[in-house]
Amino acid sequence: MILILGGTTEGRVAVKVADEAGKPFYYSTRSDIQAVDSHNGVRLSGGLDLDSMTLFCCEHDIRLIIDAAHPFAKVLHDTVKKVSEQLGLPVVRLERIFPEHDTDIIWCRDFDHAVMLMKQNGVSNLLALTGVKTIAALKPFWTDHDCHFRILDREESLELATQQGFPAERLVYYQHGESEDTVLQQLKPDAVITKESGLSGGFQEKVDAARCAGIPVYAVMRPQLPSGFETVTGEHTLRRAIEKYIPDFYPLRSGYTTGSCATAASKAALTALLLGEELSTTQIQIPDGELLTIPVTVLQVTQDSAVASVIKDAGDDPDVTNGCTVVSTVRFSDRPGIHFLQGDGVGRVTLPGLGLEVGEPAVNPVPRKMIETELAGLLAETVRDGAGLDVTISVPGGEELATHTFNPKLGIVGGISIIGTSGIVRPFSSEAFVEAIRRECEVAMAVCPDRLVINSGARSERFVKALYPELPPQAYVHYGNYIGETLKIAQELGFRNVTMGIMMGKAVKLAQGNFDTHSRVVTMNREFIREMAQEAAVPQECLARIDSMVLARELWDLIPRDNLKTFCNVVREHCHSFCDGLIPDGRLTILIITDQGQVF
């Protein structure tokens, strides 16, 4: 069982991630003000001290504590540390992302330090954005200086401010949606004080507004976390930490993309080249800002190059690249900038539409940006900013692996693609499948913009190809079960003509408005099929047989031949009523296909 300690934005993220497992867990907050939507979480309210938290963990078989509390909840963090040590429980800290310590901000160790600095610097009119709970900490300043506190507009906050003796007339209430500029223009303070609350705490917005107004910012640094906590910075890395400590919590394990592997290997290679450090793990930033730690192996270091590798871990996703080795060779170059070269087992682009120049190695745009960001950061840190680098990504055995992917159809020859838009692989990820559909559609638009032909799979595609012998292979795309997503992509890319080939099993589901036709999402509705058959004037004796039907393909034999065309037209009309709205700027043709290849 998991115990989440929250009451913050990060607390809601933790609940969302834990909910995905479909298993019960506990979520504790000091108060019950914060609304939290959870299907499987058991909500606890009221603070937990050392004794009550220890007893709760023992009585409820807690195996992992997730600390998602506010960065300044030092007492709670210390309590968690003690419980962890007493019971031998791992602690995962879901931390906020914090901006760098800019030098134009006056950084303070704590509130006492802030008061001392503000008095020394002659601050006379202060706006405090540190929250109602810090009124007492700043009392040595506001008792003999002008000071306004901005607080939340709720009774609990007003009561707390009153208890601490702060003048009610100097309270400023936070209005939802109000910009930071408004309160600064109204009060015109000569300084602002805030806490280092991270991006989710609005820290950057407060600093930016004060900068624009030319007002100095005093920032109280967040307390240091107790040692021994494993820190993660978002939902992907939190899930991987839960999988690590409670392997049976999720039914399937997540992994990371080849793009993340290539980024980690490249960063490890350049670190070895610049600093002489041979890392066993390296931390990279994935597109949503999270920091992901990946095991690496440094293979070789010379005067002007280094080689490192990562073993791809796709989790429980049926990924053909799972277990393969992604190798990065980073070499100093006379050319300025970072350049990508094709290595063994990585494909080469031969068709337009993938967002890469023809002839370039198939390292997709998002992984390229990830690699460039990490390497440019290292170069800047080591005073080598602007140095030229050649980065060669290779995957031993990648050419054979590519035969089991979409690459041959996409015009990528010689190996696999280095891919990944999120950096993380979700097991059996619908996101990844839809992204693959998008890539195919982009190539189709570049090669054959006049018509896109979408089919559920190879069998229906084979039958439909006979109708469009002039179209190149790239014009045909498999939607699997994601009909709605595929039509949306076709609309976004601007296809004027789209043909959909569909077998009867998916057609009767789509006719009822189900854009995802997977059996885990929707099952065949016999009553609805019967209603469509009635619309098609199918004889009464045939209608009764629909109720005992097991598979939709039985309709081909069940419905009399004289009624088949009419019935298929009814099904098509229902499909059009839902699908046409997804592609309003294009013309959609729907073809219903029998198992023998007859097209209606």
Side-chain angles (χ1 to χ4, degrees), residues 111-112 114-116 118-119 126 128 130-147 149 160-167 193:
F111 284 96
D112 290 340
V115 169
M116 182 189 74
M118 289 188 294
K119 288 183 175 181
L126 177 70
T130 49
V132 70
K133 294 180 181 178
T134 66
I135 288 177
L138 286 172
K139 190 169 184 177
F141 185 86
W142 58 258
T143 51
D144 52 7
H145 293 79
D146 286 340
C147 180
F149 259 90
L160 188 55
T162 303
Q163 288 174 355
Q164 296 178 88
F166 192 80
I193 186 168

Side-chain angles (χ1 to χ4, degrees), residues 202-248:
F203 177 82
Q204 198 62 53
E205 289 83 352
K206 298 169 187 174
V207 169
D208 290 344
R211 279 178 178 148
C212 289
I215 299 172
V217 176
Y218 290 78
V220 179
M221 292 185 288
R222 68 190 188 274
Q224 187 172 0
L225 284 170
S227 62
F229 290 12
E230 178 171 335
T231 301
V232 298
T233 54
E235 58 183 84
H236 297 307
T237 44
L238 175 59
R239 172 166 173 153
R240 286 186 61 81
I242 294 173
E243 292 168 348
K244 171 183 173 181
Y245 290 112
I246 310 182
D248 57 349

Side-chain angles (χ1 to χ4, degrees), residues 477-499:
V477 172
H478 295 173
Y479 56 74
N481 290 294
Y482 300 103
I483 298 172
E485 294 296 332
T486 306
L487 291 176
K488 290 177 186 176
I489 292 169
Q491 167 68 18
E492 290 172 19
L493 296 178
F495 282 99
R496 293 293 182 181
N497 295 287
V498 177
T499 297

Side-chain angles (χ1 to χ4, degrees), residues 13 86 119-120 219 223 236 249 260 262 270 295 319 391 397 484 512 526:
V13 171
Q86 287 182 20
K119 288 183 175 181
Q120 284 180 355
H236 297 307
F249 190 68
S260 290
L270 186 57
D319 188 326
V391 180
Q512 201 176 0
R526 296 179 185 82

Side-chain angles (χ1 to χ4, degrees), residues 20 204 299 326 336 351 561 568:
E20 293 172 356
Q204 198 62 53
L299 302 174
V326 180
L351 293 174
R561 185 163 300 277
C568 286

